[in-house]
């Protein structure tokens, strides 16, 4: 049967050319059958993936607080060197307002080599290192030196790869991370998505390795908790300003403000988001 032999030969050729390049820490990602070659997805992913057009410049070109709120429910996408994609729904952000903000890296309007991305066009990534080990990722907005910190994601696709990236970035062996532990914090988010200093000053509207796409069922004002930022207790009045935003009732948020949530509950019911 010549036709059958021809089909088998084509299949064999495809199988022999199916490998992908691997880079640095990503070399060790699990690509065995049953792993991320058929990525594990959350219940949201089936609907989210339908709307896969990239968020463009107009979206990012808005005031810092507005952008921080607008990020909630949107999707961060990271394409790994082997072609797989990691998807995460943004569930927590913080706004840093630039020169006037005593907690901002650009306070006083001072521009340095480190914070240059904060002064670039809206949609530019600002990645910095803390404790000489961990990374945090921000996105520039309108306003001189203003940017939004991405604090937490709800993993949607590529959870096995996220676990492996988290594992390789930690020194001590530990238990298998649960879904809600993968991206519930700014440095954990960066570990899970393989984001490091090499991503600093990249443009989310143009980059081929990282971008954002619109989410569906975006939250309303009643679904967003507005509270104080984390880890800036020595910044005077700025430590008390309500510049952190997260999705109310979402278990992937890093730090929950129970007092504020109780006050919101007293004002009215929680809607679906």
């Amino acid at each position: 049967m010549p036709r059958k032999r021809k089909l088998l030969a084509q299949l064999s050729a495809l199988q022999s050319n199916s490998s992908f390049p691997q880079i640095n820490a990503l070399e060790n990602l699990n690509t065995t059958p049953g792993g991320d070659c058929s990525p594990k997805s959350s219940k949201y992913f089936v609907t989210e993936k339908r709307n896969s057009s990239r968020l463009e410049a107009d979206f990012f070109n808005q005031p810092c607080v507005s952008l921080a709120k607008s990020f909630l429910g949107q999707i961060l996408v990271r394409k790994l060197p082997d072609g797989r994609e990691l998807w995460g729904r943004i569930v927590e952000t913080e706004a840093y307002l630039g020169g006037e903000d005593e907690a901002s890296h650009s306070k006083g309007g001072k521009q340095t080599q480190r914070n240059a991305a904060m002064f670039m066009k809206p949609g530019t990534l600002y990645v910095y290192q803390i404790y000489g080990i961990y990374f945090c990722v921000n996105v520039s907005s309108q306003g001189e030196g203003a940017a939004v910190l991405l604090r937490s994601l709800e993993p949607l696709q590529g959870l096995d790869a996220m676990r492996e990236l988290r594992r390789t970035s930690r020194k001590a062996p530990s238990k298998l991370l649960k879904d809600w532990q993968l991206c519930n914090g700014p440095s954990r988010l960066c570990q899970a998505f393989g984001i490091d200093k090499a991503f600093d000053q990249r443009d989310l509207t143009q980059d081929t390795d990282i971008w954002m796409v619109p989410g569906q069922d975006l939250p309303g004002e009643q679904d967003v908790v507005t509270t104080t930022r984390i880890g800036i207790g020595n910044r005077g009045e700025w430590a008390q300003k309500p510049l952190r935003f997260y999705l109310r009732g979402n278990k992937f948020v890093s730090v929950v403000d129970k007092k504020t949530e109780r006050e919101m509950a007293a004002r009215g019911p929680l809607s679906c988001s």
Side-chain angles (χ1 to χ4, degrees):
M1 298 176 64
R3 179 176 174 79
K4 183 176 180 180
R5 286 196 296 271
K6 183 178 179 181
L7 289 172
L8 288 172
Q10 291 174 339
L11 178 61
S12 176
L14 285 172
Q15 291 173 333
S16 65
N17 292 316
S18 62
S19 59
F20 295 102
Q22 302 287 335
I23 298 178
N24 298 332
L26 302 177
E27 292 177 348
N28 298 320
L29 288 178
N30 179 17
T31 57
T32 57
D36 262 352
C37 292
S38 299
K40 180 179 178 182
S41 303
S42 88
K43 61 183 179 181
Y44 295 101
F45 185 70
V46 175
T47 56
E48 297 287 6
K49 194 170 184 179
R50 293 175 188 166
N51 194 2
S52 59
S53 58
R54 181 190 295 250
L55 289 175
E56 298 182 352
D58 287 347
F59 173 84
F60 300 101
N61 189 23
Q62 54 182 306
C64 192
V65 170
S66 176
L67 183 61
K69 293 180 179 179
S70 296
F71 274 147
L72 297 177
Q74 311 295 352
I75 310 300
L76 182 67
V77 182
R78 165 79 162 96
K79 188 173 184 179
L80 298 177
D82 62 10
R84 288 175 293 165
E85 291 181 359
L86 310 179
W87 286 48
R89 184 184 188 217
I90 300 171
V91 299
E92 184 182 6
T93 61
E94 288 181 349
Y96 289 85
L97 306 184
E100 63 176 331
D101 189 342
E102 288 296 317
S104 175
H105 289 178
S106 58
K107 66 179 179 179
K110 184 177 180 181
Q111 184 175 348
T112 65
Q113 183 176 358
R114 181 197 188 200
N115 71 5
M118 301 182 78
F119 295 84
M120 295 180 178
K121 72 172 189 174
T124 302
L125 291 182
Y126 168 45
V127 181
Y128 63 89
Q129 199 168 23
I130 57 174
Y131 309 124
I133 304 173
Y134 305 114
F135 294 96
C136 296
V137 61
N138 305 254
V139 183
S140 64
S141 68
Q142 277 184 11
E144 193 78 358
V148 176
L149 173 68
L150 303 183
R151 276 202 62 89
S152 297
L153 300 178
E154 175 180 349
L156 299 179
Q157 177 182 320
L159 277 69
D160 290 340
M162 293 181 201
R163 284 190 178 87
E164 185 63 18
L165 284 165
R166 285 290 313 279
R167 186 190 65 79
T168 57
S169 65
R170 291 176 295 164
K171 295 181 179 180
S174 59
K175 297 184 296 183
L176 186 69
L177 293 173
K178 297 178 180 178
D179 292 359
W180 64 268
Q181 296 173 312
L182 290 172
C183 306
N184 63 332
S187 60
R188 293 174 180 177
L189 181 165
C190 286
Q191 289 175 353
F193 270 59
I195 297 171
D196 57 19
K197 193 64 176 177
F199 284 79
D200 187 47
Q201 300 187 17
R202 293 200 189 188
D203 183 353
L204 282 173
T205 68
Q206 301 291 330
D207 202 84
T208 57
D209 295 328
I210 190 167
W211 62 92
M212 287 187 187
V213 300
Q216 293 187 353
D217 301 321
L218 296 179
E221 282 293 328
Q222 72 276 13
D223 304 313
V224 176
V225 179
T226 300
T227 185
T228 55
R229 295 175 290 187
I230 304 297
I232 57 167
N234 60 342
R235 301 300 179 179
E237 65 175 330
W238 285 91
Q240 303 304 317
K241 291 189 180 294
L243 294 172
R244 180 166 68 100
F245 311 96
Y246 69 83
L247 293 184
R248 179 182 170 197
N250 188 285
K251 68 179 181 180
F252 298 90
V253 169
S254 66
V255 180
V256 171
D257 185 334
K258 294 182 179 179
K259 179 182 178 182
T260 299
E261 290 198 17
R262 284 195 299 269
E263 293 171 352
M264 292 179 68
R267 293 196 296 266
L270 172 68
S271 70
C272 296
S273 63

